[in-house]
Amino acid sequence: MLMKRRGVHSGLVVKGEEGGLSLTTRLRSANTTRGLPVNYCSGFRALDVSSSIDLGGVTRQGFNLEVNAKEYGFQPTDTPRTDRSVSKNIEFGLSALLGEKGPAYDRIVLNAGVVDHLLGVDGAEDISAALDRAREAIDSGNALKRLLNYIKVSHKMG
């Protein structure tokens, strides 16, 4: 509701595991009986931003769903234990962005593809195409290049 009130055209909230905000490839626990399941996504996206801006309003489509990574071809994996080490998590992420296949790579692809798809990014209307775009961004080195550029720019602003 806050995103809508601020005039955001699309927004997404993800219930990740252990309080996280990202999707996981881990299987849903059969013992979960309370609350929303892990990988539950809720949000909205603009249906036609260009015409709706002219009209002064935005037509939005809401969605609520549980993402099952296995349905998109990802093998279930447990969350790598890093003992809450920031440097270890950075190492996993950078290795994945360098193209090293494994759980971290899969989770980055899953999150990038599903988020682009759910938020209505151009070219990501089809979930398979969105996942392929995410893989291509990583495998080509573009994802890492953009991350490093973002870090560089953000340091200049600080």
Side-chain angles (χ1 to χ4, degrees):
M1 186 59 74
L2 290 173
M3 288 185 275
K4 288 180 183 178
R5 286 183 184 160
R6 296 204 181 269
V8 175
H9 295 293
S10 53
L12 171 67
V13 177
V14 174
K15 181 183 180 199
E17 66 181 322
E18 299 179 11
L21 300 172
S22 60
L23 299 167
T24 179
T25 56
R26 187 171 141 197
L27 287 175
R28 181 179 186 184
S29 172
N31 299 332
T32 304
T33 57
R34 295 186 342 209
L36 298 171
V38 169
N39 283 2
Y40 182 82
C41 299
S42 182
F44 61 93
R45 62 179 160 239
L47 292 178
D48 186 357
V49 176
S50 60
S51 64
S52 59
I53 289 174
D54 296 338
L55 299 172
V58 176
T59 304
R60 295 182 177 97
Q61 174 186 37
F63 54 84
N64 297 295
L65 69 140
E66 181 183 352
V67 173
N68 180 345
K70 197 171 182 179
E71 290 176 7
Y72 301 117
F74 295 95
Q75 293 302 312
T77 56
D78 288 330
T79 302
R81 291 289 160 216
T82 62
D83 297 324
R84 301 181 192 257
S85 166
V86 172
S87 60
K88 191 67 176 168
N89 279 313
I90 291 170
E91 181 184 323
F92 284 148
L94 288 176
S95 293
L97 292 176
L98 286 166
E100 182 179 312
K101 307 299 189 270
Y105 178 94
D106 288 348
R107 287 169 188 236
I108 292 171
V109 168
L110 177 67
N111 278 273
V114 169
V115 168
D116 282 359
H117 173 69
L118 290 177
L119 295 182
V121 171
D122 286 339
E125 295 84 4
D126 175 74
I127 186 66
S128 295
L131 294 168
D132 288 343
R133 282 174 33 144
R135 286 182 190 96
E136 171 59 27
I138 294 171
D139 294 343
S140 68
N142 285 334
L144 180 59
K145 184 168 71 172
R146 287 183 180 244
L147 174 64
L148 295 175
N149 187 58
Y150 173 81
I151 292 168
K152 181 180 170 184
V153 169
S154 66
H155 282 135
K156 287 181 183 177
M157 298 175 81

